[in-house]
Amino acid sequence: MAVNLNPPQAGQLPAVAGVELLVAEAGIKTPGRKDVLVVKLDKGNTVAGVFTRNRFCAAPVQLCQEHLAAGVQIRALVVNTGNANAGTGFDGRARALSVCRAVAERDQLQTEQVLPFSTGVILEPLPADKIVAALPALRQADWAEAAEAIMTTDTLAKAASRRLDIGGKAVTVTGIAKGSGMIHPNMATMLGFVATDAAVTRPMLNQLVREVADQSFNSITVDGDTSTNDSFILISTGQSGAELIDSAEQPAYQQLKQALLEVAIELAQAIVRDGEGATKFITVDVNGGRSVAECKDVAYAIARSPLVKTAFFASDPNLGRLLAAIGYAGVADLDVDRLSLYLDDVLVACEGGRNPAYKEAQGQAVMNQSEITVRVELGRGSASARVWTCDFSYEYVRINADYRS
Amino acid sequence: MAVNLNPPQAGQLPAVAGVELLVAEAGIKTPGRKDVLVVKLDKGNTVAGVFTRNRFCAAPVQLCQEHLAAGVQIRALVVNTGNANAGTGFDGRARALSVCRAVAERDQLQTEQVLPFSTGVILEPLPADKIVAALPALRQADWAEAAEAIMTTDTLAKAASRRLDIGGKAVTVTGIAKGSGMIHPNMATMLGFVATDAAVTRPMLNQLVREVADQSFNSITVDGDTSTNDSFILISTGQSGAELIDSAEQPAYQQLKQALLEVAIELAQAIVRDGEGATKFITVDVNGGRSVAECKDVAYAIARSPLVKTAFFASDPNLGRLLAAIGYAGVADLDVDRLSLYLDDVLVACEGGRNPAYKEAQGQAVMNQSEITVRVELGRGSASARVWTCDFSYEYVRINADYRS
């Protein structure tokens, strides 16, 4: 049961000029299921990406990074579910390349102009022949169908869109994502693809993809594990006719960044809302730090603590667990007497202990909600960070313990 | 159900000359339960300790550190369960001091010669008056009874002992510990007290307590959370008549360290075996690293991963989760092609993927055991680290979600 998450509706997901979506059923793992997505990009586009830092990164992740660095224009993305092509060594690389080559031949491109993405079972050979055999059957799709085509253990497809106006030109941002927990044999990789018809230079798109990822996909945690295949791709086609963004100083840069952030945050939150066994959606805000890094450390200490997460599951306003997590977050010179802790707007702890005016009924009322904000004021600076997570339930253990039975 | 753990037997826990144990029932939380332990130390002893680094450290932890730094000889420890005196601010400090003062008056000591320890409910005022009122009722106890007196959510008391010979003199090392997960309102603090009748100078005892803690209590994890009250104390009374240890170069230093390590490791392992909901006892060995720190990072990434821990609970030889945890442990330049992964003696992964000769039945046979060793050979240096943990079960969620219901 996802937390306050609805399936995307095609009518609310406008197309992005210069982006063509194609799907097919290759029967990689489940016959009849949409499991291949090809994203065709018109000439003149720009593509940028950020990828998992897991040292066991998968063959397609390595190829994506090489192809993006090759200096050719990316003209197609090919995504398969059902097999992650991870932990597969040199053979996995050859299989991913063979898929890129087949997509390239179909559209008379170079192999390096195709980016491959895989998600699903790890440590199994990619059935590249099945993917190649399905390419002739590719059919046009909308963004909602594309979102369905990349699902693995997701209970709902994930898509989001925004419109904005840049200098009188209508600009669209539309994106899709997948991912819940990290399940083996379907290690639930996080994949995100966001496209816009705004025009952005490659250096600016590289900057945008990092800035946007930091505040969206890099600010969520379901179980603290990061997968071998995580990828986030930003595409700009330039077909809106809006001015070219070639400097972060342009007002259009901030306008576009805001729209991209809204789409990416909605997608990242959807992954948390669809987290394995999730019953609560938790926002952790940490303010008043000396650096963003220390704020993120505190936020993640709270968001990753199994004790905090089971307390949310139990709707238990358990201040001790929250304070202890803040205390061990690694901020070496933290003065706990200057710190304040809120559940939504209720001040629960200050001056090193429980707020004398706090009544447990107040905390209980907040904990009973399905959406809760934990706010920590560190009282030592002006930096902030925000992280989203979900609770930790019996269902999480059941899903992850019983998956192969 | 603790994993392969038996209650301590008084006959196997020899007394340590110069240490007197006293227990009483103060009714702090549960009437009739042993909840106060006083450890009286003869003149001529030496005491050293290491404490939680949690910034929300409790009032007694602060006082312990101050009293150990005061330059007076410690003559008594007073431990209570049922209340942790944590998150209690200045009032908590005053209450802990009042307990120290009462113990000191009873034996004509200075307040600074008494070390206080508390474990139990946090954010509640310590009922110091109950502890003080129970002091006249203190009665002599053996080490097994002392171990019982410091239990909170532990299902079994924890004690261990070793005998050794230093230059023809019989030396005893005996200790007790408590702790399972970190439960609120009983935040299950880790407390460890180990005493020996060997003679050790204060600087050497300070070194020993750090070295021993690093390889025992600092090498375990149940749920990754560290409490506000964790403390480990080493006592040497010198009454064995063995030579004074005043240098780490003395053979006696290594002899004593070995015995202390064996006792501390047995106690630390007992905490893991009694971990909340534990059904498996897991040893994680990481070898071939460039530094102990990076080996510990890899070991803890495995030992803390909820996905790995639920796989152990399910007896699922889930290589993907193990490899992914190694991959995100933060060893930036790790070459996964040089890495080998073993379950007990079964080589399951090498050269960046699954060992071609590995059969899942082999991994399954290991995973079905109640005690499992995960061994990672990083292949990039000669450093090693070892960490102990347990699995992650429905019972963990039940204990932590239902505790207050």
Side-chain angles (χ1 to χ4, degrees):
Chain A
M1 268 298 293
V3 183
N4 305 331
L5 182 65
N6 296 312
Q9 299 193 294
Q12 296 172 355
L13 299 167
V16 177
V19 176
E20 188 184 358
L21 304 170
L22 304 159
V23 299
E25 293 81 7
I28 295 169
K29 187 170 166 234
T30 311
R33 178 171 175 169
K34 285 194 287 287
D35 53 8
V36 175
L37 167 69
V38 170
V39 182
K40 287 180 61 178
L41 305 177
D42 283 359
K43 283 185 187 166
N45 76 77
T46 311
V47 177
V50 287
F51 301 92
T52 183
R53 290 187 191 148
N54 195 307
R55 294 299 300 167
F56 271 96
C57 77
V61 171
Q62 295 168 22
L63 284 175
C64 273
Q65 291 171 305
E66 290 172 24
H67 291 187
L68 279 171
V72 297
Q73 187 168 62
I74 302 302
R75 294 292 305 284
L77 283 57
V78 53
V79 191
N80 75 271
T81 67
N83 185 301
N85 196 8
T88 47
F90 189 79
D91 177 66
R93 185 186 165 83
R95 288 169 189 256
L97 263 178
S98 75
V99 172
C100 291
R101 195 175 302 117
V103 171
E105 280 170 7
R106 182 177 178 278
D107 292 315
Q108 294 169 297
L109 306 171
Q110 302 169 47
T111 304
E112 292 73 25
Q113 293 182 285
V114 181
L115 299 182
F117 303 85
S118 296
T119 175
V121 187
I122 81 165
L123 295 168
E124 297 286 346
L126 180 75
D129 49 344
K130 287 188 183 176
I131 300 172
V132 171
L135 296 181
L138 282 168
R139 63 182 185 280
Q140 289 206 315
D142 58 32
W143 282 94
E145 291 169 304
E148 288 167 12
I150 63 172
M151 291 168 70
T152 54
T153 56
D154 308 64
T155 69
L156 287 170
K158 297 163 184 75
S161 189
R162 291 291 185 282
R163 300 266 211 174
L164 69 158
D165 182 293
I166 296 183
K169 302 285 184 182
V171 170
T172 299
V173 175
T174 301
I176 57 175
K178 63 133 313 213
S180 49
M182 188 184 100
I183 307 184
H184 171 94
N186 277 0
M187 178 180 290
T189 290
M190 197 289 295
L191 294 180
F193 304 99
V194 175
T196 178
D197 49 10
V200 188
T201 63
R202 179 73 184 271
M204 285 301 98
L205 203 67
N206 282 338
Q207 183 173 330
L208 277 169
V209 77
R210 284 194 304 273
E211 290 181 357
V212 169
D214 267 355
Q215 292 181 51
S216 57
F217 296 105
N218 286 340
S219 293
I220 60 174
T221 179
V222 172
D223 50 24
D225 287 69
T226 54
S227 114
T228 53
N229 294 52
D230 293 345
S231 307
F232 171 49
I233 297 290
L234 217 51
I235 297 160
S236 78
T237 66
Q239 297 198 5
S240 63
E243 61 178 292
L244 177 69
I245 296 172
D246 63 358
S247 158
E249 307 303 314
Q250 279 169 266
Y253 180 94
Q254 289 304 327
Q255 272 187 279
L256 180 64
K257 181 181 166 184
Q258 182 58 34
L260 291 170
L261 264 180
E262 288 179 21
V263 167
I265 287 173
E266 189 174 328
L267 293 171
Q269 290 188 351
I271 290 172
V272 173
R273 292 178 187 283
D274 200 16
E276 290 168 353
T279 74
K280 302 268 173 82
F281 178 79
I282 316 293
T283 301
V284 183
D285 273 340
V286 179
N287 303 316
R290 292 211 187 117
S291 67
V292 172
E294 76 176 28
C295 292
K296 271 214 170 179
D297 285 346
V298 171
Y300 270 115
I302 293 170
R304 289 184 58 163
S305 161
L307 284 167
V308 168
K309 288 159 84 81
T310 42
F312 279 117
F313 170 57
S315 300
D316 178 359
N318 196 315
L319 309 185
R321 294 183 188 176
L322 285 163
L323 293 177
I326 296 166
Y328 68 66
V331 183
D333 56 352
L334 182 67
D335 181 352
V336 298
D337 292 336
R338 300 179 66 120
L339 182 149
S340 300
L341 174 66
Y342 294 80
L343 290 174
D344 278 9
D345 291 330
V346 179
L347 175 63
V348 295
C350 55
E351 294 175 9
R354 182 158 49 189
N355 169 19
Y358 168 71
K359 298 277 180 294
E360 181 146 326
Q362 298 175 291
Q364 189 63 60
V366 177
M367 292 301 273
N368 289 344
Q369 301 165 184
S370 62
E371 310 233 349
I372 297 163
T373 297
V374 176
R375 179 156 62 91
V376 181
E377 299 287 343
L378 294 175
R380 51 193 257 124
S382 57
S384 291
R386 173 174 289 179
V387 161
W388 296 281
T389 191
C390 54
D391 59 335
F392 216 169
S393 66
Y394 292 112
E395 189 66 6
Y396 177 89
V397 177
R398 191 193 64 74
I399 292 170
N400 286 294
D402 294 354
Y403 192 79
R404 310 219 302 189
S405 62
Chain B
M1 268 299 293
V3 183
N4 304 331
L5 182 65
N6 296 312
Q9 299 193 294
Q12 296 172 356
L13 298 168
V16 177
V19 176
E20 187 183 359
L21 303 170
L22 304 158
V23 298
E25 293 82 6
I28 295 169
K29 187 170 167 234
T30 311
R33 178 171 175 168
K34 286 194 286 286
D35 54 9
V36 174
L37 167 69
V38 170
V39 182
K40 287 181 60 178
L41 305 177
D42 282 0
K43 283 185 188 168
N45 76 76
T46 311
V47 177
V50 286
F51 300 92
T52 182
R53 289 186 192 149
N54 195 306
R55 295 298 301 167
F56 271 96
C57 77
V61 171
Q62 295 168 22
L63 284 175
C64 273
Q65 291 172 306
E66 290 172 25
H67 290 187
L68 279 171
V72 297
Q73 186 167 63
I74 302 302
R75 295 292 305 285
L77 283 56
V78 54
V79 191
N80 74 272
T81 68
N83 185 301
N85 196 8
T88 46
F90 188 80
D91 177 67
R93 185 185 165 85
R95 288 169 189 255
L97 264 177
S98 75
V99 173
C100 291
R101 195 175 303 117
V103 171
E105 279 170 6
R106 182 177 177 278
D107 292 314
Q108 293 169 297
L109 307 171
Q110 302 169 47
T111 304
E112 292 72 26
Q113 293 183 285
V114 181
L115 299 182
F117 303 85
S118 295
T119 175
V121 186
I122 81 164
L123 295 168
E124 297 286 345
L126 180 75
D129 50 344
K130 287 188 183 176
I131 300 172
V132 171
L135 296 181
L138 282 168
R139 63 182 185 280
Q140 289 206 315
D142 57 34
W143 282 93
E145 291 169 304
E148 288 167 12
I150 64 172
M151 291 168 70
T152 54
T153 56
D154 308 64
T155 68
L156 287 169
K158 297 162 184 75
S161 188
R162 292 291 185 282
R163 299 267 210 174
L164 69 158
D165 181 292
I166 296 182
K169 301 286 184 183
V171 170
T172 299
V173 175
T174 301
I176 57 175
K178 63 133 312 213
S180 48
M182 188 185 100
I183 307 183
H184 171 93
N186 276 0
M187 178 180 290
T189 289
M190 197 289 295
L191 294 181
F193 304 99
V194 175
T196 177
D197 49 10
V200 188
T201 63
R202 178 74 183 270
M204 286 301 99
L205 203 67
N206 282 338
Q207 182 173 332
L208 277 169
V209 77
R210 283 194 305 273
E211 290 180 356
V212 169
D214 268 355
Q215 292 181 52
S216 57
F217 296 105
N218 287 340
S219 292
I220 60 173
T221 179
V222 172
D223 50 23
D225 287 69
T226 54
S227 114
T228 52
N229 295 52
D230 293 345
S231 307
F232 171 49
I233 297 290
L234 217 51
I235 297 159
S236 78
T237 66
Q239 298 198 5
S240 63
E243 61 179 290
L244 177 68
I245 296 173
D246 63 358
S247 158
E249 308 303 314
Q250 279 169 267
Y253 180 93
Q254 290 304 327
Q255 272 187 280
L256 180 64
K257 181 181 166 184
Q258 182 58 34
L260 291 170
L261 264 180
E262 288 179 21
V263 167
I265 287 173
E266 188 174 329
L267 293 172
Q269 290 188 350
I271 290 171
V272 172
R273 292 178 187 283
D274 200 16
E276 290 169 354
T279 74
K280 302 268 173 82
F281 179 79
I282 316 293
T283 301
V284 183
D285 273 341
V286 179
N287 303 317
R290 292 212 187 116
S291 66
V292 172
E294 75 176 28
C295 292
K296 271 214 170 179
D297 285 346
V298 171
Y300 270 115
I302 293 170
R304 289 185 57 164
S305 161
L307 285 167
V308 169
K309 289 159 83 82
T310 42
F312 280 118
F313 171 57
S315 300
D316 177 358
N318 196 315
L319 309 184
R321 294 183 188 175
L322 286 163
L323 293 177
I326 296 166
Y328 68 66
V331 183
D333 56 352
L334 182 67
D335 181 353
V336 298
D337 291 336
R338 300 179 66 122
L339 182 150
S340 301
L341 174 66
Y342 295 80
L343 289 174
D344 278 9
D345 292 330
V346 179
L347 175 63
V348 294
C350 54
E351 294 176 9
R354 181 159 48 188
N355 169 20
Y358 168 70
K359 298 277 181 293
E360 181 146 326
Q362 297 174 291
Q364 188 63 60
V366 177
M367 292 301 273
N368 289 344
Q369 300 165 184
S370 62
E371 311 234 347
I372 297 163
T373 297
V374 176
R375 179 156 62 91
V376 181
E377 299 287 342
L378 294 175
R380 51 192 257 126
S382 57
S384 291
R386 174 174 289 179
V387 161
W388 297 280
T389 191
C390 54
D391 59 334
F392 215 170
S393 66
Y394 293 111
E395 189 67 6
Y396 177 89
V397 177
R398 191 194 64 75
I399 292 169
N400 285 294
D402 295 355
Y403 192 79
R404 310 219 302 190
S405 61

